[in-house]
Amino acid sequence: MKQILVISGKGGTGKTFFTGCLAVAILNKVIVDCDVDAANLHLLLHPSIEQSFEFFGGKKAFIDKEKCTLCGACREVCQFEAINDDFQVDTISCEGCTICSYVCPASAIVLYEALSGHYFISQTEYGKMVHARLGIAQESSGKLVAKLREIAKEIAETTKADHIILDGPPGIGCPVMASMTGVDLAIAITEPTVSGLHDVKRVIDLARHFKVDLKVIINKYDLNPEMSQHITTHLDKEGVEVIGVIPFSEEILKSVKAGIPYLKFSRGSLARKIEQLIFKILEEIT
């Protein structure tokens, strides 16, 4: 079983579009949407939820009014101003840091496991999909990503899947790290801009830290050919291969608006080129 992760240093580069292409082109796989903070792969793959689970990713403080002496020690130490004048805890502001429970002389504050979101096992036209929805202002996204990957691996082992395809979160934060550890190949989607180069540099550093093989695809490369060449030259010096380029296409935009993976939406010349790029990627990990 090989794990392929699609990432980007920032949002809006075409990461999910390309993951949708992988979902169509690669057979016998499990699909994971690791972007739990702002999941959108479901908009292309339209999963039918088979199982739903609650995710408890953190703790929240609760003040027992019967024990509370109104001394105010908790309010003094709370850095998030989560405890109001009536000594009630605002669960949105509370970060579950536990310091209030330590300073309370009456032991009136307890920490309870808070419902942070839900995760799902679904069926799509393109295979099993594991995805999640993190609640508003909830954290522990890295922990949730790790849970999704654990479930996907179990499904892949049970069904004898050949691949796990991971649609990673943007950026280089905790959920990206949880998505990247242990994968066989990471594909960074970038764009021909100064910020695109800056962000792919950060992704390269992260991949090197985790000792993960990284390839780069420049999306919409023809909007700025000079910058595309500059990125390619820089990455060549870094020893990172630009494995392919994808031109700007109104047809791709139409497929996204229609909520259909591009390789199913079109059978034109660009679709065939993207298929060839995917076959090249598969050769890299065999």
Side-chain angles (χ1 to χ4, degrees):
M1 179 201 319
K2 301 292 185 179
Q3 299 190 52
I4 304 172
L5 170 67
V6 184
I7 52 176
S8 61
K10 60 181 287 293
T13 61
K15 172 177 56 65
T16 299
F17 137 74
F18 191 73
T19 303
C21 291
L22 292 176
V24 175
I26 298 177
L27 305 178
N28 193 25
K29 77 283 181 179
V30 178
I31 308 159
V32 187
D33 189 349
C34 295
D35 189 1
V36 297
D37 290 287
N40 58 6
L41 186 59
H42 64 281
L43 299 176
L44 288 179
L45 303 188
H46 306 287
S48 175
I49 296 174
E50 296 179 333
Q51 294 177 271
S52 176
F53 306 89
E54 293 180 332
F55 172 67
F56 295 87
K59 294 185 177 182
K60 300 291 182 180
F62 172 77
I63 300 176
D64 186 339
K65 288 296 186 69
E66 294 185 0
K67 293 182 179 181
C68 179
T69 62
L70 308 180
C71 70
C74 57
R75 297 188 71 242
E76 290 179 7
V77 299
C78 181
Q79 299 297 307
F80 307 102
E81 300 181 351
I83 303 172
N84 64 21
D85 294 337
D86 295 325
F87 292 92
Q88 294 177 327
V89 179
D90 178 2
T91 56
I92 297 296
S93 300
C94 178
E95 294 288 332
C97 70
T98 76
I99 188 63
C100 59
S101 65
Y102 284 109
V103 302
C104 179
S107 299
I109 302 177
V110 295
L111 277 294
Y112 66 93
E113 292 288 336
L115 179 64
S116 301
H118 295 80
Y119 59 95
F120 315 98
I121 299 175
S122 300
Q123 184 65 46
T124 75
E125 180 181 345
Y126 315 98
K128 286 284 186 180
M129 178 174 173
V130 184
H131 52 119
R133 181 172 62 247
L134 200 61
I136 297 172
Q138 297 298 321
E139 296 189 359
S140 300
S141 54
K143 184 178 179 181
L144 180 53
V145 169
K147 183 65 177 179
L148 298 185
R149 292 191 61 190
E150 177 186 330
I151 294 171
K153 187 175 181 181
E154 291 174 356
I155 294 173
E157 289 173 346
T158 300
T159 60
K160 301 187 185 306
D162 295 321
H163 297 91
I164 296 177
I165 299 171
L166 305 158
D167 184 20
I172 58 169
C174 181
V176 181
M177 296 179 195
S179 302
M180 182 176 286
T181 54
V183 302
D184 297 282
L185 179 64
I187 302 168
I189 310 295
T190 190
E191 55 190 4
T193 62
V194 173
S195 63
L197 175 58
H198 171 268
D199 293 325
V200 81
K201 287 179 181 179
R202 300 195 304 164
V203 170
I204 291 171
D205 290 340
L206 191 65
R208 284 175 174 165
H209 175 78
F210 287 106
K211 296 180 173 58
V212 169
D213 188 21
L214 177 74
K215 306 293 182 184
V216 173
I217 293 174
I218 303 177
N219 190 27
K220 297 174 283 190
Y221 80 96
D222 53 337
L223 294 184
N224 192 338
E226 291 183 0
M227 191 63 194
S228 294
Q229 184 57 53
H230 177 64
I231 292 174
T232 301
T233 301
H234 176 81
L235 296 186
D236 184 58
K237 293 178 180 178
E238 291 283 341
V240 177
E241 179 185 4
V242 175
I243 198 170
V245 295
I246 299 173
F248 173 80
S249 169
E250 291 283 354
E251 193 176 42
I252 291 177
L253 294 179
K254 290 178 181 178
S255 73
V256 173
K257 290 178 181 178
I260 301 173
Y262 179 65
L263 292 189
K264 184 180 179 183
F265 184 85
S266 172
R267 298 308 305 163
S269 59
L270 178 56
R272 291 193 295 271
K273 289 180 180 178
I274 293 175
E275 282 184 334
Q276 292 171 1
L277 174 56
I278 292 172
F279 295 150
K280 186 178 179 181
I281 289 169
L282 292 178
E283 290 176 356
E284 292 286 332
I285 58 174
T286 55

